[in-house]
Every structure is written in structure tokens, then in C-alpha cells.
Amino acid sequence: MSRTARVERVTKETKVLVEIDLDGTGQAEISTGVGFYDHMLHQIARHGGFDLTVRTVGDLEIDAHHTMEDTVLALGAAFDQALGDKAGIRRYGSATVPMDEVLVRAAVDLSGRPYVVHDEPPLAPYIGPVYPTSMTRHIWESFGQAARITLHVDVLRAARPGGHPDAHHVVEAQFKAVSRALREATAVDPRAAGAIPSTKGAL
């Protein structure tokens, strides 16, 4: 069965197209107009093993908020759509990812129940000229809501000796950890024989 999805989201503020193949090879075509955000969405494709296309045109003349929010809402909806009834998947996934001085743990449950816990230290307000670091929490909350998943993201270690956390490393390690956790959770379980991974019989 093909585990693919195409989601289009159009508002007065943005126009978003997302296409995903959960059984891809990590190929990506990403364009949101927010350079660092594009780089992070590439992490989801590469480390998740998903083929991903994202094309967003947004009101960047105001700020990056609407563009980033609407993009991740469409991405979450695409994940949910591509998973279908979730028969035969592993359901749970976790990953602990180091990136130099940073260590991040992510855990996911494709439960059908949106719930997000996110913990990171205070960071510099921007990465590059456009990406506001305050949006990272909102990205995970929006993704969890749209994808209908439980997601925990914890920055376990970030401080450099004698300095402040490197915001680039802290955020990138989060995206890599979530991507690896999603890769595990969405994988087909050869022992499941197509069964729904829940005693309820539905997710």
C-alpha cells in the first residue's frame, strides 16, 4: 500500500503545498522563503527517510510566523493522511541525538491524541535574519495537533563552557531527533501482520 499524501492549504496569508512519501529515501524539495526553516525541513526528510516536497508562499513582508505555522500544519496533516489507519506500524519511536555540545531526546506516539511537551533553554532570539527561535515550540505544538500525535522533545544538554547555548545547534538537534523518532514510529512492523497497534483496535 502506498503511504503518500498531498495537502494544499490556502489562506489569505499563505499558500502551502506538501507532498510526502513515508517509504521514500530522504529526497526533498523545500521552499518556504525562510532559509533556516528550509534547512530544518530537509532534516525531517533526510533523517526520517521520507520523500518530501514543500512549497510555501507567505506574507514574509509581515514576519515569518504565518509562513512557518501554516507550513507545519500542512506537514502534520500530510503525515496523518499518509499513515491512514496506521495498521502494521510500530507506533512508538524515540531517538537521542547529539550535535556537538547539544543533546536532545525526542519520543513520539502516533496515538491519534495530540499532546506536545517541549523543553529547551532560553536562546538567542533569531537564527539568521528571519527564523525566530520562539517559533520552535509553536512548530512542534502545531505539528503534533495536525498530525494527531503525542510528542515529547527535551533538550538534555546545551550550554557551552563559559557561553550561551548555540541556538543553531539546539534547534537543529531537535529536528534531527524528532525525525529519527518519526522514522521508527512510522516504520512497518514485520511482526504486526497488519494489525492496529492498540488494544482499542483503532488509533
Side-chain angles (χ1 to χ4, degrees):
M1 181 181 295
S2 174
R3 299 197 301 163
T4 63
R6 175 187 174 95
V7 171
E8 293 185 74
R9 179 184 173 90
V10 180
T11 72
K12 292 181 180 180
E13 298 162 341
T14 62
K15 182 178 181 180
V16 184
L17 167 67
V18 173
E19 296 177 332
I20 193 166
D21 182 349
L22 298 181
D23 300 308
T25 59
Q27 301 301 306
E29 179 188 336
I30 313 289
S31 176
T32 67
V34 181
F36 184 76
Y37 194 37
D38 289 358
H39 182 44
M40 294 302 97
L41 296 177
H42 270 97
Q43 305 305 319
I44 289 178
R46 176 61 63 187
H47 295 283
F50 313 122
D51 287 346
L52 181 62
T53 298
V54 177
R55 299 192 187 101
T56 301
V57 177
D59 55 358
L60 293 176
E61 71 280 3
I62 296 176
D63 64 14
H65 186 107
H66 299 145
T67 295
M68 295 169 68
E69 178 181 59
D70 288 359
T71 297
V72 79
L73 285 170
L75 179 61
F79 263 93
D80 186 42
Q81 185 183 125
L83 283 166
D85 65 3
K86 303 176 185 175
I89 63 168
R90 295 187 182 274
R91 175 178 170 177
Y92 295 98
S94 63
T96 303
V97 170
M99 186 169 181
D100 297 348
E101 77 285 1
V102 175
L103 186 66
V104 173
R105 178 180 60 212
V108 64
D109 174 11
L110 306 181
S111 60
R113 299 186 305 276
Y115 198 93
V116 175
V117 177
H118 176 261
D119 183 48
E120 71 176 8
L123 301 175
Y126 283 90
I127 300 172
V130 182
Y131 183 98
T133 55
S134 61
M135 279 296 294
T136 305
R137 177 191 295 271
H138 190 50
I139 286 168
W140 298 133
E141 290 172 340
S142 299
F143 180 72
Q145 185 71 32
R148 299 190 307 121
I149 65 173
T150 296
L151 175 65
H152 289 242
V153 185
D154 296 291
V155 179
L156 304 178
R157 187 173 299 116
R160 294 175 293 176
H164 297 289
D166 185 315
H168 187 130
H169 286 177
V170 170
V171 175
E172 184 167 342
Q174 290 179 54
F175 274 84
K176 288 179 175 177
V178 170
S179 303
R180 298 298 300 190
L182 285 169
R183 183 182 189 132
E184 181 178 344
T186 60
V188 175
D189 185 349
R191 300 175 61 187
I196 302 291
S198 171
T199 54
K200 298 181 180 70
L203 287 173

